[in-house]
Amino acid sequence: MNSIKIILTGATGMVGEGVLMECLENPNISEVLSISRKPSGKKHAKLKEYIVSDFLAMNLYDENLKGYDAVFFCAGISSVGMNEEEYTRITFDMTIHFAKAALSQNPDMVFNYVSGMYTDSTESGKIMWARVKGKTENTIRKLGFRAAYNFRPGFMKPVEGQKNIKWFFKPFIWFFPVIFPSKSLTLHEVGRAMIKTVQKGYPTSTLEIRDIKNLAI
């Protein structure tokens, strides 16, 4: 598949912005539809934007989502200061509703979900965010996509030129990958690996750091 059209969420966050920048520069990507609550601020011939204030309010048969090969779901939120009900609404409910809407318009598409290290696939552990992420991963796999992949990255070095980087993250950008290379990768690698899942697939649906690095080559 040499001409891939993707839907991307989270373009105004660090992960989504980095993956978006990789996609816009990748010759195998012909179009990116960025869906978010506010504009990304980026301009590019390949980029289209669709502003949606609430993913849960999306029409499950929204034809704006029709004609795409994959979703790169990079939107997410920290669980800090949130109770389980609030975090579940944003992390699980909104993601699954969005996934169903995309699938209704593109029954043969690939869905890539950015999860996290230490996500709890059993859904029964003591860590709240890990349980909710695990439930989200498991549910996505069962929806009926051509393929669905759960990305579990660790530390992600931003793409050069990114704007959406939290101030407290910046001091770690240069030394963390040097000290902890096995727990680090770049957003270039995450983006490239996502594209490769659409082009050629991957043997397992859960991609840990080593899988993402291998696929990005």
Side-chain angles (χ1 to χ4, degrees):
M1 185 180 291
N2 296 318
S3 180
I4 302 169
K5 297 173 67 175
I6 67 161
I7 295 169
L8 181 140
T9 70
T12 57
M14 190 186 84
V15 178
E17 183 187 26
V19 172
L20 173 61
M21 291 172 71
E22 171 63 31
C23 289
L24 293 177
E25 296 306 316
N26 192 296
N28 295 305
I29 301 294
S30 62
E31 183 181 317
V32 180
L33 176 65
S34 171
I35 303 181
S36 60
R37 291 180 299 166
K38 57 185 179 180
S40 68
K42 296 190 182 302
K43 303 293 181 183
H44 195 282
K46 295 181 183 179
L47 180 62
K48 294 182 178 180
E49 295 198 287
Y50 180 27
I51 305 303
V52 176
S53 60
D54 182 359
F55 283 6
L56 273 174
M58 285 183 70
N59 185 330
L60 283 175
Y61 303 98
D62 189 334
E63 293 194 355
N64 289 299
L65 280 59
K66 191 176 183 66
Y68 291 87
D69 301 299
V71 169
F72 294 175
F73 198 94
C74 303
I77 192 169
S78 170
S79 63
V80 176
M82 302 187 76
N83 61 40
E84 187 161 353
E85 182 179 0
E86 293 170 326
Y87 187 69
T88 298
R89 179 182 180 277
I90 295 172
T91 300
F92 178 80
D93 296 347
M94 290 177 63
T95 304
I96 299 306
H97 185 85
F98 187 97
K100 289 178 177 178
L103 182 61
S104 76
Q105 299 301 310
N106 309 282
D108 193 41
M109 78 180 337
V110 173
F111 194 96
N112 285 330
Y113 173 62
V114 177
S115 184
M117 287 179 67
Y118 311 120
T119 291
D120 179 12
S121 297
T122 72
E123 305 179 31
S124 59
K126 294 182 179 180
I127 302 173
M128 181 271 284
W129 73 261
R131 290 196 307 271
V132 176
K133 286 274 193 179
K135 181 181 179 182
T136 307
E137 287 187 352
N138 293 338
T139 303
I140 289 169
R141 274 196 291 260
K142 298 173 185 175
L143 289 179
F145 289 100
R146 172 164 66 87
Y149 300 96
N150 296 306
F151 278 63
R152 294 184 177 180
F155 181 92
M156 291 173 280
K157 183 178 178 180
V159 171
E160 186 175 350
Q162 279 198 238
K163 297 179 180 179
N164 296 305
I165 305 172
K166 302 293 186 183
W167 65 268
F168 56 78
F169 187 84
K170 292 181 179 180
F172 298 94
I173 290 174
W174 301 111
F175 77 82
F176 195 98
V178 175
I179 299 174
F180 303 106
S182 66
K183 294 183 179 180
S184 306
L185 36 67
T186 70
L187 280 169
H188 280 301
E189 290 174 315
V190 175
R192 284 198 299 269
M194 286 190 172
I195 295 166
K196 291 285 185 68
T197 64
V198 186
Q199 292 176 308
K200 65 179 187 179
Y202 196 71
T204 62
S205 61
T206 299
L207 281 72
E208 306 287 354
I209 292 173
R210 62 182 179 276
D211 300 300
I212 296 170
K213 287 184 174 182
N214 288 338
L215 191 52
I217 297 172

